[in-house]
Amino acid sequence: MKTVVSMQNIHKKYQGQQIETHALQGVSLEIQQGEFVAITGPSGCGKSTLLTIMGLLDGASEGQYRLAGIDTQHLKTDERTRIRNLHIGYVFQSFNLIDSLTVFENVALPLEHRGEKAAVIKEAVVEALDKVGMRHRMQYRPNQISGGQQQRVAIARALVGKPDLILVDEPTGNLDTKNGDAVMQLLLELNKQGSTIVMVTHDSRYSGLAHRQIQLLDGRVVAEKQVRQADREVA
Amino acid sequence: MSLYRGSLRRGLIRLFSEPRLSLPLMLTLGLTLAAVLTVLSIAQTLLFQPLPGVKQEQQLYQLDVRLQFNDEMNVSFLSDRRRFAHLQQRFAGLGDWAQVVNQDSQAEVEGQQYQVTLLNATSGATDVIGLPLLLGEGTSADNAKEGVWISASLWRAVFGERSNLQGETIRIGGRDWPVFGVLGDFTSMDIEGNSSLIREQVWRFAPLQESLLNNESLSLGTTQLNLLRAPGGQVPDNRQLEDWYLTYLDTQISEPRAREFILSKPHSVSVQSYRDFFVGDSGKLVSLLIVAMVSLLVMACLNLLNMFIAHYQGRSKEFSVQLCMGASTRRLRLLVFLENLPMFMLASVTGLLGAAWLIRVLPDLAGDSLPLLDKINLDSLSLLVAMLLVMLINLLFASVSLLHVQQQALTDNLNSSGKGTPAQQKQGLNRMLMVLQLTIACTLMTAAMTSVYKSYQDVYQYPGYEMVNAYEISLAYKDEAWQQSLYDFESYSGSELQQLRSALADRLRKLEPQAVVDVESLPLSQSLTMRAYPDPETGESRMYLPRQWGRGYLESFHIPLLAGADLTGPQNGSREVLVDLDYARQLEGVEYWQNLVGKEIKLGNDSDDIFRVAGIVGNTRPVLGGLLNSTPPVIYFADVNADANGSDQPRLQMVVLMPEGQTLTREQLVPILSDLDPRLGEIGLESMQQRWQTMTAESRLNMYVVLGMAVLTLALAAIGVSGLSQMNAAQKRYELAVRMATGARQNRLLVLLLKDATLMLSAGLGLGLFGSVLGYQYLTGLIDQAPAFNWPTSLLVNVILAVTMLLSVVLPGWRVIRADPMQVLREL
């Protein structure tokens, strides 16, 4: 099986005016294609930092990170952007949809930035929206749909470019239980269809649905456990 | 592609949906762009376009030798054609030479009078200039003195472009001249003094070498064209011209006192390309205008940039999402560029329309201060410059507006709650731009307000006499020879001129005026003659302004008699004069000026030049509107001819005071004056009020335009500071609300906002003051007429700016502070 994420001894330091904060202190992990990994831990343990480094939104202070076989350590900004576009889909807790664009246009963004032709974009966007059940709201604007629907659209945007890795940051944090469950169901479906998903959550109900749970504490991996298929189904 | 289309579409929608962004941009950028384009068009016409009517101008040179009498007055030594001919003889091999002198005149064709510019030139002058001959025969030594050539404009006006002018004549100076040909209009001539160059021109030629037969006239005059067309590019250098000048004085001026007098005056020689001569101070003026307008544009851009930064900081998250989805920063800039394109295009259209309008009204705005005004237009180059400028500004805005959207801060932006903290990180840039903007504002406003203050003084300062309901009435002389004889014998008792004036006064009394004052002109004069005489003791040259004094003159215009006789008015030919306070002080000192009464003064070397001072009157300013920087002392003579040479006085003039509220019209004058003498023609009438209006029109307009520029600068600075303050306060809303919720008082919060702004204001105003002092020193070095720097104006500008800026900080901040903290916290 192909290794999508390979992190070795990743450190992340933030230099404040007087103090230095070590958000990550030697994190090493590997994620295989098709896996659903949940990263858990208390607030401030470095979950989101790890996700942003994994998503190439930020760089590590030390350590080696390979994404789909590409060494990301010495990449220039534009190259990181291109790799992010080709290999990564991102789902945020606060959805981060652009209000001035329609649902269709929001979902089309990664393909637009990739320079795909209009016909290809249309086909892919419709397919992605079909997958998340939001095709009928294609011409709506984000502020005209509910929070749950906005998160579905955000998921469609993450998967429309068929990335190697979908990073999900607290996807249910801004949703009620019903909508949260629906979103999780959707992520599971996508994983079943072959998407590799890394999800940051502090909700044990949802972390239990992943194949593997990685627990962080004070910027270090303190526990890693595989979830049995039976437990996943129970959950 | 749809992203780009979408950006353009959003840009179009934003024109209407976000007027707070689109309107200031369209107006601020559009208006400043209009000013910049206008100035660029002027610069292009004056500095780069071929001079109309001048062929191969790079071969054409202007030569001059000038004598400096004082700060106000310098005259040309080459004004005498004999000297120019001598110079030509000395350097004959270098090329073709020509001299042209212009003069306002009147021409008559079939009883119809035309105002014309009479150009007295040496034979072949138009060939030297390169002015095209449109019709008829060329000028030559043979035909030169027999006829005249007219300009195309006069040809159109008088002869309706008729192709056959055989037998046509034009009457000038009491003589009928056959019209030999038609030349192109000559508009590329620098005019100084009181004449003006108009397109209706009459050329008269005389062979240059003939003037060598004349005697040296010892006369000096104002500028004329002393041209040399040197195809080989070889021209006399300054040293050679200087040598010629000294040789001429030694060999050609035999009168030792005259030679000494001329030698006592500092002189300067100049050989310059015709364009440099023609453009003259206008070039410097245009350069300064470019600097001022570009500064204004920079200021406007800084202002708008701050607004754009604020706008795009509010959209940080959107751009971070785009970056996260794989958009490169280059692509984001392009998207922003496209989104702003409709707004910028509209601004450029506004700018072009504004520039077109400004260029159209330019002749009214600039008056005679700029040459070739009618040639200035918006051409394709201006359009290109406008478009390029706007595109560049748009590109710059797109780049700078997105500086805050950094790859490194992506996570912060994506996860931010929108309560302001990430956006505040980049305020250093805003502050720097604001300090720069204040510096420019302070410099521009100081220069503008100094100029406004000077214009105000020029126009509204009390001139030493009252603006009463007075009229200057005039009749044109139709016969030049008769006119000459009138003035030649005018000082004899009972002369024809005295009889004529007496008859004129009698006729005017039929109008039942308050008074008829037997003087040629109103105290407010459009043209002046200045005279100089050597001081009998020191030999130094003293300047004075001769004015005419007649019965009832002082009383009519409320000019105070400070010492001396209670004058009832002198008789013509009297050797008594009145002098003004300045003159008395010059001669007798500041304290004992009264002692001059009864003394004799010597205004020349002849016995005729001795006069007795009958009285001392208050100082007056005969010229308003800044046309004369400082007025020399005035001496009032009894002669009708006092303030002009007889032959230069083209009209018979007299002053009438009408009762208050009563208007005098030309129609009232015609029946009583038309049969005064058949040798008198057209009747002229001008009120003192009209003259004040005309004379001060340019200064008043300049004052309002410059004041407008100062107000615009202040408004731009205020909008900028207020925008930044609003943005500041808005970004601190959460912080302020939390502080309020935890018990901070409103005045403490205001101090918090002010503390931040005060530092920025101090830096901007301090730098501005420094910049304005330095900039003004440079300006006064560059332009002689620039008013002197004055500290009170500069400090006043700083106070106005400081108060306006503080208000611009306090008002938006106060609005935020006054809000209910709990509501703010709920909203955020």
Side-chain angles (χ1 to χ4, degrees), chain B residues 479-535:
Chain B
D479 187 329
E480 212 173 70
W482 177 60
Q483 172 198 359
Q484 188 67 52
S485 74
L486 281 179
Y487 285 90
D488 284 348
F489 302 105
E490 63 99 4
S491 56
Y492 295 101
S493 179
S495 70
E496 192 182 356
L497 182 61
Q498 283 180 23
Q499 289 176 29
L500 188 64
R501 294 189 69 81
S502 175
L504 174 62
D506 287 343
R507 300 273 182 118
L508 290 174
R509 284 191 189 98
K510 290 180 188 169
L511 297 166
E512 297 178 359
Q514 195 175 310
V516 174
V517 188
D518 189 9
V519 288
E520 287 274 334
S521 57
L522 292 162
L524 188 61
S525 301
Q526 266 176 327
S527 64
L528 289 176
T529 304
M530 273 199 259
R531 288 191 189 149
Y533 69 94
D535 187 286

Side-chain angles (χ1 to χ4, degrees), chain A residues 52 57-58 77-78 81 84-85 90 92 94 96 98 100-101 105 109-110 112-113 115 141 157 169, chain B residues 1-3 9-10 317-318 321-331 335 407 410-411 414-415:
Chain A
T52 54
L57 292 175
D58 205 350
T77 306
D78 280 354
T81 305
R84 200 161 56 224
N85 179 263
Y90 228 113
F92 301 93
S94 54
N96 281 342
I98 298 173
S100 57
L101 303 180
E105 287 166 338
L109 273 180
E112 288 277 5
H113 293 313
R141 295 201 181 263
R157 184 178 63 186
D169 190 3
Chain B
M1 281 307 284
S2 67
L3 257 186
R9 196 183 61 229
R10 268 194 303 282
K317 204 160 188 170
E318 176 187 332
V321 171
Q322 297 263 27
L323 279 172
C324 183
M325 295 298 130
S328 64
T329 41
R330 203 178 310 123
R331 179 179 284 242
L335 288 174
Q407 295 273 359
L410 268 184
T411 323
L414 288 167
N415 295 327

